[in-house]
Short mmCIF file of all heavy atoms in Angstrom, two decimals:
data_model
loop_
_atom_site.label_atom_id
_atom_site.label_comp_id
_atom_site.label_asym_id
_atom_site.label_seq_id
_atom_site.Cartn_x
_atom_site.Cartn_y
_atom_site.Cartn_z
N ASP A 721 29.63 4.40 22.17
CA ASP A 721 28.99 5.41 21.32
C ASP A 721 27.48 5.24 21.44
O ASP A 721 26.97 4.12 21.47
CB ASP A 721 29.41 5.22 19.85
CG ASP A 721 29.31 6.52 19.04
OD1 ASP A 721 28.43 7.33 19.35
OD2 ASP A 721 30.10 6.68 18.10
N ILE A 722 26.76 6.37 21.52
CA ILE A 722 25.30 6.36 21.58
C ILE A 722 24.78 7.43 20.64
O ILE A 722 25.31 8.55 20.61
CB ILE A 722 24.78 6.56 23.02
CG1 ILE A 722 23.25 6.41 23.07
CG2 ILE A 722 25.23 7.89 23.61
CD1 ILE A 722 22.70 6.34 24.48
N ARG A 723 23.75 7.11 19.86
CA ARG A 723 23.21 8.04 18.87
C ARG A 723 21.72 7.82 18.68
O ARG A 723 21.19 6.74 18.93
CB ARG A 723 23.87 7.83 17.50
CG ARG A 723 25.38 7.92 17.50
CD ARG A 723 25.95 7.65 16.13
NE ARG A 723 27.41 7.66 16.14
CZ ARG A 723 28.17 7.54 15.06
NH1 ARG A 723 27.60 7.37 13.87
NH2 ARG A 723 29.48 7.58 15.16
N MET A 724 21.04 8.86 18.20
CA MET A 724 19.70 8.71 17.66
C MET A 724 19.85 8.09 16.27
O MET A 724 20.56 8.61 15.42
CB MET A 724 19.00 10.05 17.55
CG MET A 724 17.49 9.98 17.20
SD MET A 724 17.01 9.39 15.57
CE MET A 724 17.80 10.59 14.50
N THR A 725 19.21 6.96 16.04
CA THR A 725 19.34 6.30 14.75
C THR A 725 18.16 5.37 14.50
O THR A 725 17.67 4.72 15.42
CB THR A 725 20.65 5.49 14.66
OG1 THR A 725 20.73 4.88 13.39
CG2 THR A 725 20.74 4.43 15.74
N PHE A 726 17.68 5.33 13.27
CA PHE A 726 16.65 4.37 12.89
C PHE A 726 17.30 3.06 12.45
O PHE A 726 16.96 2.00 12.94
CB PHE A 726 15.76 4.93 11.78
CG PHE A 726 14.86 6.03 12.25
CD1 PHE A 726 15.24 7.35 12.16
CD2 PHE A 726 13.63 5.72 12.79
CE1 PHE A 726 14.41 8.36 12.60
CE2 PHE A 726 12.78 6.72 13.24
CZ PHE A 726 13.17 8.05 13.14
N LEU A 727 18.23 3.14 11.52
CA LEU A 727 19.02 1.99 11.09
C LEU A 727 20.46 2.46 10.95
O LEU A 727 20.73 3.38 10.18
CB LEU A 727 18.52 1.44 9.75
CG LEU A 727 17.17 0.73 9.76
CD1 LEU A 727 16.76 0.40 8.33
CD2 LEU A 727 17.23 -0.54 10.58
N PRO A 728 21.39 1.88 11.68
CA PRO A 728 22.78 2.34 11.62
C PRO A 728 23.33 2.31 10.20
O PRO A 728 23.06 1.38 9.43
CB PRO A 728 23.51 1.34 12.53
CG PRO A 728 22.46 0.83 13.46
CD PRO A 728 21.20 0.79 12.66
N ASN A 729 24.08 3.36 9.86
CA ASN A 729 24.82 3.46 8.61
C ASN A 729 23.95 3.67 7.37
O ASN A 729 24.47 3.68 6.25
CB ASN A 729 25.72 2.23 8.38
CG ASN A 729 26.61 1.92 9.56
OD1 ASN A 729 26.52 0.85 10.13
ND2 ASN A 729 27.44 2.87 9.96
N SER A 730 22.63 3.80 7.52
CA SER A 730 21.80 3.99 6.33
C SER A 730 20.81 5.13 6.46
O SER A 730 20.13 5.46 5.51
CB SER A 730 21.03 2.69 6.02
OG SER A 730 20.17 2.36 7.10
N ASN A 731 20.70 5.73 7.63
CA ASN A 731 19.81 6.85 7.87
C ASN A 731 20.58 7.93 8.63
O ASN A 731 21.64 7.66 9.21
CB ASN A 731 18.60 6.41 8.71
CG ASN A 731 17.60 5.63 7.89
OD1 ASN A 731 16.79 6.19 7.17
ND2 ASN A 731 17.67 4.32 8.01
N PRO A 732 20.05 9.15 8.65
CA PRO A 732 20.70 10.17 9.48
C PRO A 732 20.85 9.70 10.93
O PRO A 732 19.93 9.11 11.49
CB PRO A 732 19.74 11.36 9.37
CG PRO A 732 19.05 11.17 8.07
CD PRO A 732 18.90 9.69 7.91
N GLU A 733 22.02 9.94 11.49
CA GLU A 733 22.30 9.63 12.89
C GLU A 733 22.72 10.92 13.56
O GLU A 733 23.48 11.70 12.98
CB GLU A 733 23.40 8.57 13.00
CG GLU A 733 23.02 7.25 12.35
CD GLU A 733 24.18 6.27 12.32
OE1 GLU A 733 25.23 6.56 12.94
OE2 GLU A 733 24.04 5.22 11.68
N GLN A 734 22.23 11.16 14.75
CA GLN A 734 22.47 12.45 15.39
C GLN A 734 22.85 12.27 16.86
O GLN A 734 22.40 11.34 17.52
CB GLN A 734 21.21 13.33 15.27
CG GLN A 734 20.89 13.70 13.83
CD GLN A 734 19.47 14.21 13.64
OE1 GLN A 734 18.96 14.20 12.52
NE2 GLN A 734 18.83 14.69 14.69
N LYS A 735 23.70 13.19 17.31
CA LYS A 735 24.05 13.25 18.73
C LYS A 735 23.12 14.19 19.49
O LYS A 735 23.15 14.24 20.71
CB LYS A 735 25.50 13.71 18.90
CG LYS A 735 26.51 12.80 18.24
CD LYS A 735 26.57 11.43 18.91
CE LYS A 735 27.28 11.49 20.24
NZ LYS A 735 27.45 10.15 20.84
N LYS A 736 22.33 14.96 18.73
CA LYS A 736 21.28 15.78 19.33
C LYS A 736 20.05 15.64 18.44
O LYS A 736 20.13 15.78 17.23
CB LYS A 736 21.69 17.25 19.42
CG LYS A 736 20.63 18.13 20.07
CD LYS A 736 21.12 19.57 20.24
CE LYS A 736 20.08 20.39 21.00
NZ LYS A 736 20.52 21.79 21.20
N PHE A 737 18.91 15.33 19.07
CA PHE A 737 17.69 15.10 18.30
C PHE A 737 16.52 15.80 18.98
O PHE A 737 16.20 15.51 20.13
CB PHE A 737 17.41 13.60 18.18
CG PHE A 737 16.19 13.29 17.37
CD1 PHE A 737 16.13 13.61 16.03
CD2 PHE A 737 15.10 12.66 17.95
CE1 PHE A 737 15.00 13.31 15.26
CE2 PHE A 737 13.97 12.35 17.21
CZ PHE A 737 13.92 12.69 15.86
N ILE A 738 15.90 16.74 18.26
CA ILE A 738 14.75 17.48 18.75
C ILE A 738 13.56 17.12 17.87
O ILE A 738 13.57 17.40 16.67
CB ILE A 738 15.00 19.00 18.74
CG1 ILE A 738 16.31 19.33 19.44
CG2 ILE A 738 13.82 19.73 19.38
CD1 ILE A 738 16.39 18.90 20.89
N THR A 739 12.56 16.51 18.45
CA THR A 739 11.41 16.05 17.69
C THR A 739 10.18 16.89 18.06
O THR A 739 10.28 17.88 18.78
CB THR A 739 11.16 14.56 17.94
OG1 THR A 739 10.09 14.12 17.09
CG2 THR A 739 10.82 14.27 19.38
N ARG A 740 9.02 16.50 17.54
CA ARG A 740 7.80 17.27 17.78
C ARG A 740 6.87 16.48 18.68
O ARG A 740 6.70 15.29 18.55
CB ARG A 740 7.09 17.55 16.44
CG ARG A 740 5.81 18.35 16.58
CD ARG A 740 5.26 18.71 15.22
NE ARG A 740 4.79 17.55 14.49
CZ ARG A 740 3.55 17.06 14.57
NH1 ARG A 740 2.68 17.62 15.37
NH2 ARG A 740 3.19 16.01 13.86
N TYR A 741 6.26 17.19 19.62
CA TYR A 741 5.28 16.56 20.51
C TYR A 741 4.19 17.56 20.83
O TYR A 741 4.46 18.68 21.25
CB TYR A 741 5.95 16.07 21.79
CG TYR A 741 4.96 15.51 22.79
CD1 TYR A 741 4.09 14.50 22.42
CD2 TYR A 741 4.88 16.00 24.07
CE1 TYR A 741 3.17 13.98 23.31
CE2 TYR A 741 3.98 15.50 24.98
CZ TYR A 741 3.12 14.49 24.60
OH TYR A 741 2.21 13.98 25.48
N ASN A 742 2.95 17.16 20.65
CA ASN A 742 1.82 18.03 20.94
C ASN A 742 1.15 17.57 22.22
O ASN A 742 0.39 16.61 22.23
CB ASN A 742 0.83 18.00 19.77
CG ASN A 742 -0.27 19.02 19.94
OD1 ASN A 742 -0.36 19.67 20.97
ND2 ASN A 742 -1.10 19.16 18.93
N CYS A 743 1.46 18.25 23.30
CA CYS A 743 0.91 17.87 24.60
C CYS A 743 -0.46 18.48 24.84
O CYS A 743 -1.27 17.92 25.57
CB CYS A 743 1.87 18.33 25.70
SG CYS A 743 1.28 18.09 27.38
N ASP A 744 -0.73 19.62 24.25
CA ASP A 744 -1.91 20.41 24.64
C ASP A 744 -3.20 19.98 23.95
O ASP A 744 -4.28 20.26 24.45
CB ASP A 744 -1.67 21.89 24.35
CG ASP A 744 -0.48 22.41 25.13
OD1 ASP A 744 -0.32 21.98 26.27
OD2 ASP A 744 0.27 23.23 24.59
N THR A 745 -3.11 19.34 22.81
CA THR A 745 -4.30 18.99 22.06
C THR A 745 -4.51 17.49 22.11
O THR A 745 -3.62 16.72 21.78
CB THR A 745 -4.16 19.43 20.58
OG1 THR A 745 -3.91 20.83 20.56
CG2 THR A 745 -5.42 19.11 19.81
N MET A 746 -5.69 17.08 22.51
CA MET A 746 -5.99 15.66 22.56
C MET A 746 -6.04 15.10 21.16
O MET A 746 -6.63 15.68 20.25
CB MET A 746 -7.33 15.43 23.25
CG MET A 746 -7.33 15.74 24.74
SD MET A 746 -6.25 14.63 25.66
CE MET A 746 -7.24 13.16 25.62
N GLY A 747 -5.42 13.97 20.96
CA GLY A 747 -5.49 13.29 19.68
C GLY A 747 -6.83 12.61 19.52
O GLY A 747 -7.68 12.63 20.43
N PRO A 748 -7.06 11.97 18.40
CA PRO A 748 -8.35 11.33 18.16
C PRO A 748 -8.55 10.05 18.95
O PRO A 748 -9.61 9.47 18.92
CB PRO A 748 -8.31 11.05 16.65
CG PRO A 748 -6.86 10.90 16.35
CD PRO A 748 -6.17 11.88 17.25
N PHE A 749 -7.52 9.58 19.64
CA PHE A 749 -7.63 8.37 20.42
C PHE A 749 -6.65 8.43 21.57
O PHE A 749 -5.77 9.27 21.61
CB PHE A 749 -7.35 7.13 19.54
CG PHE A 749 -6.01 7.17 18.88
CD1 PHE A 749 -4.89 6.63 19.50
CD2 PHE A 749 -5.86 7.75 17.64
CE1 PHE A 749 -3.65 6.67 18.88
CE2 PHE A 749 -4.62 7.79 17.02
CZ PHE A 749 -3.53 7.25 17.64
N LEU A 750 -6.83 7.54 22.54
CA LEU A 750 -5.91 7.39 23.66
C LEU A 750 -5.45 5.94 23.70
O LEU A 750 -6.21 5.04 23.37
CB LEU A 750 -6.60 7.73 24.96
CG LEU A 750 -6.98 9.18 25.20
CD1 LEU A 750 -7.81 9.29 26.48
CD2 LEU A 750 -5.74 10.04 25.32
N PRO A 751 -4.30 5.67 24.33
CA PRO A 751 -3.23 6.62 24.52
C PRO A 751 -2.35 6.67 23.28
O PRO A 751 -2.55 5.86 22.39
CB PRO A 751 -2.48 6.03 25.70
CG PRO A 751 -2.61 4.55 25.49
CD PRO A 751 -3.93 4.35 24.82
N PRO A 752 -1.35 7.49 23.24
CA PRO A 752 -1.08 8.55 24.21
C PRO A 752 -1.67 9.85 23.73
O PRO A 752 -2.23 9.93 22.64
CB PRO A 752 0.44 8.60 24.23
CG PRO A 752 0.82 8.21 22.84
CD PRO A 752 -0.26 7.29 22.31
N ARG A 753 -1.55 10.89 24.48
CA ARG A 753 -2.10 12.19 24.12
C ARG A 753 -1.31 12.78 22.95
O ARG A 753 -0.11 12.65 22.85
CB ARG A 753 -2.03 13.12 25.32
CG ARG A 753 -2.41 14.55 25.01
CD ARG A 753 -2.56 15.37 26.28
NE ARG A 753 -3.74 14.98 27.03
CZ ARG A 753 -4.18 15.63 28.10
NH1 ARG A 753 -3.55 16.69 28.53
NH2 ARG A 753 -5.24 15.22 28.75
N GLY A 754 -2.04 13.46 22.09
CA GLY A 754 -1.39 14.21 21.01
C GLY A 754 -0.61 13.31 20.09
O GLY A 754 -1.04 12.22 19.72
N ASP A 755 0.53 13.76 19.70
CA ASP A 755 1.39 13.07 18.76
C ASP A 755 2.67 12.69 19.50
O ASP A 755 3.59 13.48 19.59
CB ASP A 755 1.70 13.99 17.57
CG ASP A 755 2.46 13.27 16.48
OD1 ASP A 755 2.68 12.06 16.63
OD2 ASP A 755 2.83 13.92 15.49
N PRO A 756 2.73 11.51 20.10
CA PRO A 756 3.87 11.18 20.97
C PRO A 756 5.16 11.08 20.19
O PRO A 756 5.19 10.62 19.06
CB PRO A 756 3.49 9.82 21.55
CG PRO A 756 2.60 9.22 20.50
CD PRO A 756 1.83 10.36 19.92
N SER A 757 6.22 11.55 20.79
CA SER A 757 7.54 11.45 20.17
C SER A 757 8.08 10.05 20.37
O SER A 757 8.05 9.50 21.46
CB SER A 757 8.50 12.46 20.81
OG SER A 757 8.04 13.77 20.62
N GLN A 758 8.58 9.47 19.29
CA GLN A 758 9.34 8.22 19.39
C GLN A 758 10.78 8.53 19.04
O GLN A 758 11.05 9.10 17.99
CB GLN A 758 8.81 7.15 18.44
CG GLN A 758 9.64 5.88 18.53
CD GLN A 758 9.55 5.03 17.28
OE1 GLN A 758 9.00 5.44 16.29
NE2 GLN A 758 10.13 3.84 17.34
N ILE A 759 11.68 8.18 19.92
CA ILE A 759 13.09 8.44 19.68
C ILE A 759 13.84 7.12 19.70
O ILE A 759 14.05 6.53 20.76
CB ILE A 759 13.67 9.41 20.72
CG1 ILE A 759 12.85 10.70 20.76
CG2 ILE A 759 15.13 9.72 20.42
CD1 ILE A 759 13.30 11.68 21.83
N PRO A 760 14.23 6.59 18.53
CA PRO A 760 15.02 5.35 18.49
C PRO A 760 16.49 5.65 18.76
O PRO A 760 17.07 6.58 18.20
CB PRO A 760 14.81 4.84 17.07
CG PRO A 760 14.55 6.08 16.26
CD PRO A 760 13.92 7.09 17.19
N ILE A 761 17.10 4.87 19.62
CA ILE A 761 18.48 5.11 20.05
C ILE A 761 19.28 3.83 19.87
O ILE A 761 18.85 2.74 20.29
CB ILE A 761 18.52 5.56 21.52
CG1 ILE A 761 17.83 6.91 21.67
CG2 ILE A 761 19.95 5.63 22.04
CD1 ILE A 761 17.60 7.31 23.10
N GLY A 762 20.45 3.95 19.24
CA GLY A 762 21.36 2.83 19.11
C GLY A 762 22.64 3.09 19.87
O GLY A 762 23.11 4.23 19.94
#
């Protein structure tokens, strides 16, 4: 079994996860550009 999860059994767990990422606008610092997506997987 594989899922998007922060902590198993205590947070939402998903088989499909769509997050937000801003590639076009430079963030206030580097790296990474914009607001990088972090996807934790268990």
Side-chain angles (χ1 to χ4, degrees):
D721 205 329
I722 185 169
R723 305 178 183 185
M724 189 293 299
T725 180
F726 289 92
L727 290 173
N729 308 120
S730 61
N731 285 279
E733 299 173 8
Q734 295 164 200
K735 300 293 286 185
K736 181 176 185 179
F737 181 64
I738 309 300
T739 184
R740 180 174 68 88
Y741 175 55
N742 187 354
C743 175
D744 299 323
T745 303
M746 291 295 286
F749 57 90
L750 291 173
R753 173 170 289 187
D755 187 3
S757 299
Q758 178 203 8
I759 305 176
I761 295 169

